[in-house]
Each structure stands twice: as C-alpha cells, then as structure tokens.
C-alpha cells in the first residue's frame, strides 16, 4: 500500500481500489490500495475529502494502513474509486506544519529553546517550548528570523535515511523509530524527522505570525498562524483598529494614547464613584440607626433596602453591629436580585439565625446559608421579602420573650 502523501504532498486527486470496508456507527471505515489522505499523526490532523461522492471525515493509521472514515456511502471491496483531497484544508496544514519547523528552529537559534510538542487545530496552532519565558526582544528576533527564511524562499526536500544515519545529519530532534526515517530538510538550515505534509519552498508559507503566549506546566506555549490564517488574523485586527479609531475619532497612530487617557479617566471616575458610594453607604447606615426597634430588650433594625446587593447588605450589617447601633439586623433587598441578610451579636439568648432563615426563605424563593450569627439567601420573589422579614421578627420575639 503506497502512501502517496509521503512522496508528494501536492497530490490531491488519485484513483485506488477498495481493499476493505467495515460498517461503523458514523458510516463505514474504508481501506484503499493506495492513498494520498494523510492520517492524523504528530500533532497534525487528518486530511478530509471524498471517495467518489462520499465524504471522508477522518483518517487514522493502523497496521493495515490508513483507515478512512466515510460519513455514508455504498462502497465494496474490489471497487475502483476516484478520490479527492480537500485541498484548502491540506494546504493550510502544509503551511502550518512547515511554519512550525521554521519557527522551532528559529527559537533554537535565538534562544536555545527546544520545541517539546506541536498542536495544529482548526482554530489554533501552538508549540510548547522548554523554557518558562522569553523577552519581547527575543520573541521579535525569533519572528523576524523565521520570516527571513520565508522570504528567502528556501527549497524544502523530503528523503529517507536509515535511523542509524541520523547521527551524520544535524537533526533538531532525532527520531526514536528504527529503520527508515523520513527527513524534511529546509535547504541545509533545518533537518527534522517528520511524516507530515509540507510545502516545497518556504515562500509558500506566506507569513509566520506569533499571536500570543501562555505559560503551561513550566513551559512556554506559543500560539502562531501562517499563510491564509495570518492574513485573516491581520484583517480582523485591522478592522478592530479601524472600529476603535472611529469610536475615539482618531487615527491608528493615536489609538494607544487615547485608550490610555480613557483608562486614566475611568480610574479617576471609579475613585469618585467609590467615594460617593461610601458616602451614601454611611448615610444609609446612619438613617437605619435612627429607626431602631426594641425586641424584648434587644435593639433591632428591620428594613427593606432599595438598590443594594447582598455584599453591601453584609457591610451594612457589620457596620451597624460594630458601632453598637443594633443587636439584631434583619435586612432585605429587591434589586439587583431579591435577597435577605440576617445578622446578630453573639448572645446565647438570641436564636440560631440558620433556623430563622430556614423558616423564612421559602416565602421569597430563597436559597442560602451561613453561621448561627449571620445568614444570607438569594431568592426570586421580591413580594415575599416583607413577609419573610415579619416572620423573622416574630420568631425572634418568641424566642427572646420573657
């Protein structure tokens, strides 16, 4: 069985004989006498395409050769079929796999960073490096070095050597397999044992662009794109820059300074908002402190508070208790979401607020919890908040009655 892609990545149409058909859940699995379909391997996804008019959705390797998963179709052993590769997908993989070889060698040249792994996805392409970080200057140097190789349009050769001969070739990472080893050589600049599909010259890659970095398990993951994907990435970012320029009424060169001004203004406004919020918060606490009820000798504040969330209800309760304005605080809020907050001083005469909450939360569709001294719950029925407060008050009156 000949693997046509191994000798020539540019074969995208061929004829073959069906040598095996196995029904499967998603259609059938097909073996061919020869194939140009690349099976998933080495971080590169499989080719897609067609056998006759039937779509090939995946290809995996096996001892018998590549197995082609066909979504549906009536194929039989001995049948001659016409096969066609999805060329746009194939060429995208060729650009990125070749681009990976170039970028990996460039990282080794500039930073002595080894490529640990490679992943080629439909939306994202990455290599993991054996370093935790690299400076912005090293990244730019590496990207420029990689693209210099692209613009020089270096020839790419593919040939096989015996595994024992790898020591005579400056391979970047020797293969561990025995016997024949396929070498992809970029004009004496990079030698890599590899079974994937590649371009015949570096100029076909078009462009190599590093898009972002992330640290993963003490390694540096480099996201990059090549060719058509790099063009689409540039177009998307160019459209974004234009849109931002229109919003800020400035040109591309002034975008960064104008955005920095917006950030500074936003920080100033946020500071003013915090100060105003704190003032309103203090006024609310002061107002509550003047509306204290007596429940069997315990100072109690019971109130439905408008436009405040549970986090701020907690702060209010803490302030009121710490300033000795109240012994018991029963608060509720309708917006932004119905909720309730009960808090009290530590006193054995006062009930465990968890039991109070449990008895009242059904009235407003509440769900929550807490400690004996403080509980809270978010709910979904604002109409039940006042009845819940009233019931909580009644329970505290009963438990503290003398």
């Amino acid at each position: 069985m000949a693997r046509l892609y191994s000798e020539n990545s540019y074969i995208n149409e061929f004829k073959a004989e069906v040598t095996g058909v196995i029904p499967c859940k998603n259609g059938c699995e097909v073996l061919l006498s020869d194939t140009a379909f690349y099976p998933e391997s080495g971080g590169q996804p499989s080719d897609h395409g067609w056998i006759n008019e039937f779509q090939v959705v995946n290809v995996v390797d096996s001892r018998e050769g590549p197995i082609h998963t066909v979504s549906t179709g009536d194929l039989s052993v001995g049948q001659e079929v016409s096969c066609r590769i999805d060329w746009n997908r194939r060429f995208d993989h060729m650009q990125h796999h070749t681009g990976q070889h170039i970028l990996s060698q460039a990282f080794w040249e500039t930073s002595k960073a080894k490529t640990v792994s490679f992943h080629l996805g439909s939306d994202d392409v990455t290599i993991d490096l054996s370093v935790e970080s690299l400076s912005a200057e090293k990244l730019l140097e590496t990207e420029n070095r990689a693209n210099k190789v692209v613009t020089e349009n270096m020839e790419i050769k593919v040939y096989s050597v015996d595994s024992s001969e790898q020591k005579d070739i400056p391979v970047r990472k020797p293969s561990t397999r025995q016997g024949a080893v396929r070498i992809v050589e970029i004009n004496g600049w990079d030698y890599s044992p590899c079974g994937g599909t590649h371009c015949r010259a570096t100029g076909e890659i078009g462009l190599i662009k590093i898009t972002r970095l992330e640290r993963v398990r003490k390694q540096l993951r480099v996201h990059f794109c090549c060719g058509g994907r790099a063009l689409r990435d540039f177009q998307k970012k160019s459209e974004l820059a234009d849109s931002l320029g229109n919003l800020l009424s400035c040109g591309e060169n002034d975008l960064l300074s104008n955005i920095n001004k917006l950030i500074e203004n936003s920080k100033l406004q946020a500071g003013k908002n915090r100060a105003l919020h704190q003032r309103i918060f203090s006024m609310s606490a002061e107002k509550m402190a003047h509306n204290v009820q007596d429940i069997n000798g315990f100072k109690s504040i019971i109130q439905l508070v408008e436009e405040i969330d549970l986090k701020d209800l907690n702060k209010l309760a803490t302030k009121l208790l710490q300033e000795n304005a109240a012994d018991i605080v029963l608060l509720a809020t309708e917006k932004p979401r119905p909720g309730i907050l009960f808090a009290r001083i530590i006193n054995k005469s006062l009930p465990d607020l968890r039991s109070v909450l449990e008895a009242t939360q059904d009235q407003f569709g509440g769900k929550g919890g807490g400690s004996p001294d403080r509980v809270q719950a978010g709910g979904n029925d604002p109409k039940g908040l006042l009845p819940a407060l009233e019931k909580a008050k009644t329970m505290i009156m009963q438990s503290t009655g003398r």
Side-chain angles (χ1 to χ4, degrees):
M1 194 277 294
R3 297 173 182 257
L4 305 177
Y5 60 83
S6 185
E7 296 300 323
N8 186 352
S9 297
Y10 291 81
I11 294 176
N12 61 1
E13 292 188 11
F14 64 97
K15 291 186 182 295
E17 181 182 320
V18 176
T19 59
V21 178
I22 306 169
C24 65
K25 182 179 179 181
N26 298 318
C28 62
E29 295 176 342
V30 179
L31 286 165
L32 299 174
S33 57
D34 304 307
T35 187
F37 284 95
Y38 179 78
E40 181 178 345
S41 179
Q44 178 177 330
S46 73
D47 284 325
H48 290 175
W50 298 266
I51 297 176
N52 286 347
E53 70 273 24
F54 308 122
Q55 190 170 20
V56 176
V57 295
N58 193 36
V59 187
V60 296
D61 222 338
S62 72
R63 291 182 180 180
E64 293 78 21
I67 297 175
H68 311 74
T69 301
V70 180
S71 57
T72 184
D74 183 15
L75 297 170
S76 57
V77 174
Q79 178 183 359
E80 184 182 68
V81 289
S82 297
C83 304
R84 180 162 56 93
I85 305 293
D86 180 340
W87 178 248
N88 289 334
R89 178 182 171 89
R90 160 70 71 83
F91 190 62
D92 173 77
H93 291 174
M94 289 164 59
Q95 286 181 313
H96 282 87
H97 206 150
T98 312
Q100 177 263 309
H101 283 216
I102 293 172
L103 195 57
S104 291
Q105 177 62 14
F107 272 117
W108 175 249
E109 269 198 3
T110 63
S111 311
K112 293 297 181 277
K114 296 180 180 179
T115 293
V116 178
S117 62
F118 165 56
H119 169 73
L120 201 174
S122 57
D123 299 315
D124 201 16
V125 188
T126 62
I127 55 174
D128 287 359
L129 300 177
S130 60
V131 295
E132 294 186 38
S133 64
L134 287 171
S135 67
E137 291 77 16
K138 279 295 180 186
L139 289 169
L140 183 60
E141 180 186 354
T142 303
E143 189 177 76
N144 287 338
R145 181 68 183 99
N147 281 290
K148 186 174 185 295
V149 174
V150 172
T151 57
E152 288 176 357
N153 199 29
M154 291 182 176
E155 180 186 6
I156 299 172
K157 306 175 202 175
V158 178
Y159 51 88
S160 292
V161 300
D162 187 83
S163 54
S164 61
E165 298 178 71
Q166 289 184 94
K167 64 182 184 298
D168 302 320
I169 303 172
V171 292
R172 183 162 28 85
K173 184 179 179 181
S175 172
T176 57
R177 69 179 299 170
Q178 299 298 309
V181 175
R182 184 174 182 259
I183 302 293
V184 177
E185 177 191 341
I186 302 176
N187 198 36
W189 182 72
D190 179 62
Y191 298 80
S192 294
C194 184
T197 56
H198 298 85
C199 300
R200 56 193 159 204
T202 59
E204 292 185 347
I205 297 169
L207 176 70
I208 299 174
K209 185 71 186 81
I210 296 171
T211 54
R212 67 185 179 95
L213 308 171
E214 60 178 318
R215 186 178 168 185
V216 180
R217 295 182 296 276
K218 295 186 178 181
Q219 296 172 352
L220 186 65
R221 179 162 294 172
V222 179
H223 298 251
F224 70 99
C225 55
C226 301
R229 291 200 208 186
L231 175 61
R232 290 189 293 274
D233 182 71
F234 171 77
Q235 289 169 335
K236 180 176 68 175
K237 289 173 180 174
S238 180
E239 289 174 5
L240 177 61
D242 288 342
S243 297
L244 287 172
N246 290 333
L247 284 172
L248 300 175
S249 300
C250 69
E252 184 178 324
N253 293 335
D254 297 321
L255 269 178
L256 187 58
S257 62
N258 282 4
I259 289 173
N260 283 331
K261 287 177 185 176
L262 279 176
I263 292 172
E264 288 303 314
N265 290 337
S266 177
K267 288 179 180 177
L268 289 172
Q269 188 59 50
K272 292 178 181 179
N273 289 343
R274 283 193 297 271
L276 181 61
H277 179 78
Q278 187 59 41
R279 184 179 175 189
I280 295 172
F281 186 84
S282 298
M283 290 172 65
S284 297
E286 186 178 344
K287 184 178 179 180
M288 286 183 186
H290 288 96
N291 290 291
V292 176
Q293 301 179 37
D294 182 275
I295 298 181
N296 296 326
F298 290 101
K299 294 180 291 183
S300 306
I301 295 176
I302 306 167
Q303 191 167 330
L304 178 64
V305 188
E306 295 183 357
E307 303 290 340
I308 191 170
D309 59 19
L310 282 172
K311 183 178 179 181
D312 280 342
L313 278 186
N314 263 294
K315 290 180 182 179
L316 271 173
T318 299
K319 185 176 179 66
L320 292 166
L321 293 175
Q322 287 178 346
E323 294 180 354
N324 200 30
D327 303 317
I328 305 165
V329 179
L330 307 177
L331 302 177
T333 180
E334 291 183 342
K335 295 179 181 179
R337 179 191 173 193
I340 212 156
L341 184 286
F342 301 157
R344 67 170 175 84
I345 60 171
I346 299 174
N347 189 302
K348 291 182 179 180
S349 299
L350 290 170
D352 185 328
L353 293 180
R354 291 174 297 184
S355 60
V356 179
L357 178 65
E358 185 178 351
T360 58
Q361 61 186 359
D362 285 348
Q363 292 185 290
F364 63 100
K367 188 175 182 181
S371 68
D373 305 317
R374 185 179 298 240
V375 293
Q376 69 178 54
N380 54 32
D381 183 9
K383 294 179 181 179
L385 292 172
L386 285 175
L389 289 177
E390 192 61 36
K391 186 170 184 179
K393 176 182 175 181
T394 300
M395 289 182 67
I396 291 171
M397 290 178 67
Q398 291 173 346
S399 67
T400 58
R402 295 182 176 88

